[in-house]
Each structure stands twice: as structure tokens, then as C-alpha cells.
Amino acid sequence: MNGRRAAAVVAVAVLAVLSGCAGFSVDVDERTSGGPTASAPDATNGTTATVVEVVDGDTIDVRYANGSTDTVRLLGVDTPEVHADNDPSEYEGVPDTEAGAACLEAAGENASAFAREWLAGARVTLVTDPAADRRDRYDRLLAYVHVAPAGEETPANETATADGVDFNERLVATGRARVYDSTFARSDGYYAAESEAQAAGRGLWRCRTPGTDGADGTDGSGSEWTDGGLSMSDAPLARSDSGLTVERIEADAAGNDHENPNGEYVVFGNDGDASLALGGWVVRDEGGHSYAFPGGFALGPGETVTLRTGTGADTGDTLYWGSDSAVWNNGGDAVVVERDGEVVLRYAYG
């Protein structure tokens, strides 16, 4: 055996021994999550960045103004795993059973979808905490992520800041995450939000009684949770008598709006009990831009659809306006929906 091959065998053997040692484990997602690129700034309080990928409910990849990238682990929170097995014992009161684990997996999927809905493509403010570590063992930045949803008031039980809502706290308050037991300055507020979510049986805390009241990851009819803090939006911005809602609007796309029309969008929902046939309904703004839902398009109960301003291939949950420039006015505008020339829904912001 030559020297290089022998060394390789020894290295493999050492790794094998280490992998069996207590306390040594490598989660697939965390192993592949990257740290900062070489030119990444030393992120401090108030550093802004654009979210380029939502890895899961509590991990995102961002790009800084200089083009460098980083992976951010949301400080102080832990959402259920979606790419690995969950340990129910980490979630107070959730039974350590197959049903409990399956329920947590469904809750983790919902947390990831919620994070994508609010953070994907968004400009966020990263806030580090002197009381906590700056990076974890995977070299991910540990930070509070502040985001400012357009047109939405901050719920009374959540913290508003000059640069938006503390999204980490929002995950806890809506029952999509537990508080990660660690040292950080905002822990008291997070624990209070967690206690409230637990008392209300909100979100993942419904997994304490899996298999009842839709706690298996559905609302009892096979649809995703649409109650108990697990709907895509905590409350619609506007609702029509037909059940059509405006769940969210992102009017200010990252960078130059006209060069990034798909970065602005409106999320519509159906909170009615029946399917909503939207074919031919018209969406317009106050400036005279208009879009018609394709013929035959329908939105089922509890479903949402994102209408992006730019171009792309329509799917069941994403539609494209087809504009080569921005539509929604950053300073203020109105989302108007008409059916047969009559206004059925209007939401003004600004």
C-alpha cells in the first residue's frame, strides 16, 4: 500500500470513529448551508440584504449590496425540520410518537412556505445581538431578520421596529417555531410569545394532540392548516363578500423596480367555503394598468395565488401579469379587482 493510499485509509477511519462519537452529528441541510463569501461584509446591526433563497423556516441565504452572499440562521428560534427527522421531545408537550413526528413535519413545511411567502426576494435588515454568538458552528450568521410587509399593520403582540417587523418573533407568535434555548437579548419577549401560542394551541402546538382537530397537518378536510396561526397571512389585508382576499402586496421590488418586475407581486386568497372562479376578473391599479385572470382559473378554499408583474409560465399558484416594467406605485396605490365591470375588492396602501 503506498503512502498516500494509507493516509487516505487512516483519514476515513478517523472520520468513521468521529461520526460515532457522542455529540458529533452532521445534519444534511446544515452541512451544505454555506457561510459568507470572501467579500461578505462583517454584518452589524442595520446591515441590509436581499433574500435570494429560503432554505427552510429558520434559514435563509442573502446577498449584500456588494454582491457577496451569506447564510443567515434566524436567531433565537427553531422551526420543525423538513429535510430531516424531527425529535418531538424538543417541542414541549408533543408526544414522541410517529403521529407527533408527522405532525411536526407538516408544521415545518408550513413554516417554510410562510417564510418563502414573506422573505423570498425581500429586502431585509439583519440585526446581530452582542449577547449571542455572531456565527454558529456552520459559520452561518446568527441574526434577527426585520422585514417590512407593505401595507400591513404590526399585530399588537409583535414588535415593530424602524426597519420592520421582527420576523423571528413572528414565527414564534404564530406558532411556527419554538424558542431555541440559548442566550439572546430578546428571549423574554420570545418566551412570552411562545407561551401565548401554546395556550392558544396555535400552529405546531396543535401537535400536542396529533390526529385530532386537524392536528395531523390538515384542517380535517385534507387541506393545509388555515387556522390556528398557520394560514399564509395572519389576517388578510382586504376581503370581498365573495371570499376573495388580498393577503399581501410587495410594491417595492429589490433594486430598480422596472428592471425587476417579478420582484413586485400581489398575493390573493380565498377564505370562503367554495371554489372561486376568477376567470375574466380584472385586477387593476390606480394608474390604469390592468390584468385579467385567465379563463377557467379558479381558487379553491384556503388557497392563495401570487400575481407577479413580469413574465413567466402560469401555474396553479403563480400567475404573471406580462408587463415589462413595474405596475405598483411604491409611494401608494390601490389594488382593485373588478367582476363584469363592478368593483368587488379594493385595497389601498401608502
Side-chain angles (χ1 to χ4, degrees):
M1 182 181 293
N2 63 44
R4 281 184 295 181
R5 184 178 178 188
V9 171
V10 171
V12 170
V14 170
L15 287 174
V17 171
L18 286 175
S19 65
C21 294
F24 182 90
S25 63
V26 181
D27 179 87
V28 172
D29 285 338
E30 294 183 336
R31 184 185 64 219
T32 57
S33 294
T37 52
S39 56
D42 184 17
T44 56
N45 291 355
T47 298
T48 58
T50 299
V51 179
V52 294
E53 182 179 358
V54 175
V55 178
D56 57 26
D58 55 33
T59 308
I60 59 176
D61 290 336
V62 301
R63 178 177 290 111
Y64 298 112
N66 68 355
S68 62
T69 60
D70 208 349
T71 296
V72 180
R73 177 63 167 79
L74 275 62
L75 178 62
V77 303
D78 182 38
T79 61
E81 299 291 343
V82 293
H83 303 296
D85 293 335
N86 285 289
D87 181 359
S89 66
E90 295 179 346
Y91 298 85
E92 183 181 357
V94 176
D96 191 3
T97 62
E98 289 186 7
C103 183
L104 285 173
E105 182 178 355
E109 293 283 1
N110 184 276
S112 295
F114 183 74
R116 285 192 296 271
E117 194 70 44
W118 287 101
L119 299 181
R123 284 186 291 184
V124 297
T125 301
L126 305 176
V127 179
T128 56
D129 187 340
D133 292 334
R134 178 171 290 274
R135 292 188 177 272
D136 67 7
R137 58 177 175 159
Y138 304 104
D139 207 23
R140 298 176 299 186
L141 179 70
L142 299 173
Y144 306 109
V145 174
H146 292 184
V147 62
E152 181 186 332
E153 293 185 3
T154 305
N157 65 337
E158 297 181 29
T159 303
T161 69
D163 46 26
V165 171
D166 178 350
F167 187 76
N168 305 31
E169 183 184 31
R170 167 160 292 192
L171 287 170
V172 176
T174 58
R176 292 183 171 90
R178 72 181 179 99
V179 178
Y180 188 77
D181 294 326
S182 56
T183 301
F184 59 101
R186 301 183 186 181
S187 61
D188 287 349
Y190 282 26
Y191 279 119
E194 181 183 67
S195 294
E196 183 178 332
Q198 289 175 334
R202 193 176 298 145
L204 69 87
W205 302 113
R206 294 167 69 181
C207 295
R208 288 175 163 180
T209 54
T212 62
D213 190 29
D216 56 350
T218 71
D219 62 6
S221 64
S223 300
E224 287 187 6
W225 273 315
T226 55
D227 213 347
L230 279 176
S231 58
M232 281 301 174
S233 299
D234 302 318
L237 302 177
R239 184 187 188 281
S240 73
D241 291 340
S242 65
L244 182 68
T245 63
V246 175
E247 297 287 330
R248 183 185 181 192
I249 178 168
E250 180 57 74
D252 188 5
N256 185 318
D257 290 17
H258 294 297
E259 295 177 357
N260 182 25
N262 277 337
E264 61 171 38
Y265 54 85
V266 181
V267 179
F268 294 101
N270 176 11
D271 71 354
D273 298 325
S275 181
L276 194 57
L278 296 177
W281 291 31
V282 173
V283 180
R284 65 173 176 82
D285 70 341
E286 297 284 55
H289 304 93
S290 65
Y291 164 86
F293 282 100
F297 183 83
L299 203 56
E303 293 181 348
T304 62
V305 62
T306 300
L307 175 59
R308 294 190 179 275
T309 298
T311 58
D314 290 347
T315 65
D317 57 13
T318 305
L319 299 174
Y320 294 87
W321 191 298
S323 175
D324 58 5
S325 61
V327 167
W328 306 108
N329 190 333
N330 295 350
D333 208 334
V335 180
V336 181
V337 181
E338 297 177 344
R339 177 181 54 194
D340 298 328
E342 295 186 4
V343 175
V344 295
L345 179 63
R346 185 177 188 275
Y347 173 70
Y349 66 91

